[in-house]
Amino acid sequence: MFKMTVEEVFAIKNRGVVATGRVESGTLRVGDTVQINGGPGVKVTAIEKFRKQLDEASAGENVGVLMKGIERKDLNRGDVLTSSSSASSSGYYEVPPI
């Protein structure tokens, strides 16, 4: 389950919107779909860490996530990005047997 709280938001002309923050849990890969506060999915087009392109981001890393298909006004500080596959549509998680 990927989860990241947005610290800052930037708009890059002709590229999309970048949300920066620390990955709290899980892993995110380029091409994955994320949800903003549980809303509709948005595709991740790039991930950067200290101006270096990454293929994936893991828990504990400070990263910038570039997304297309949204505008700057759709994303604010404090919003939560989650992977669309992190929870079922009912909101319950499947727990493996002990």
Side-chain angles (χ1 to χ4, degrees), residues 15 21 27 32 46-47 58 67 81 93 95-96:
R15 298 256 352 245
T27 302
D32 285 354
I47 301 172
S58 301
M67 299 166 281
L81 300 180
Y93 300 96
V95 178

Side-chain angles (χ1 to χ4, degrees), residues 3-78:
K3 181 180 176 185
M4 181 181 98
T5 302
V6 176
E7 293 178 8
E8 289 188 72
V9 181
F10 304 97
I12 301 176
K13 192 172 185 176
N14 298 326
R15 298 256 352 245
V17 174
V18 177
T20 63
R22 175 169 290 186
V23 178
E24 296 174 26
S25 62
T27 302
L28 180 69
R29 291 178 179 81
V30 174
D32 285 354
T33 301
V34 295
Q35 294 177 319
I36 302 165
N37 296 329
V42 179
K43 190 168 184 167
V44 174
T45 55
I47 301 172
E48 287 190 14
K49 177 179 174 182
F50 299 110
R51 298 183 190 242
K52 292 184 181 177
Q53 294 277 335
L54 299 176
D55 292 328
E56 68 177 28
S58 301
E61 295 181 324
N62 286 315
V63 296
V65 179
L66 177 65
M67 299 166 281
K68 278 192 172 180
I70 62 170
E71 295 182 20
R72 167 66 185 89
K73 64 180 176 67
D74 298 332
L75 192 60
N76 297 303
R77 179 183 170 99

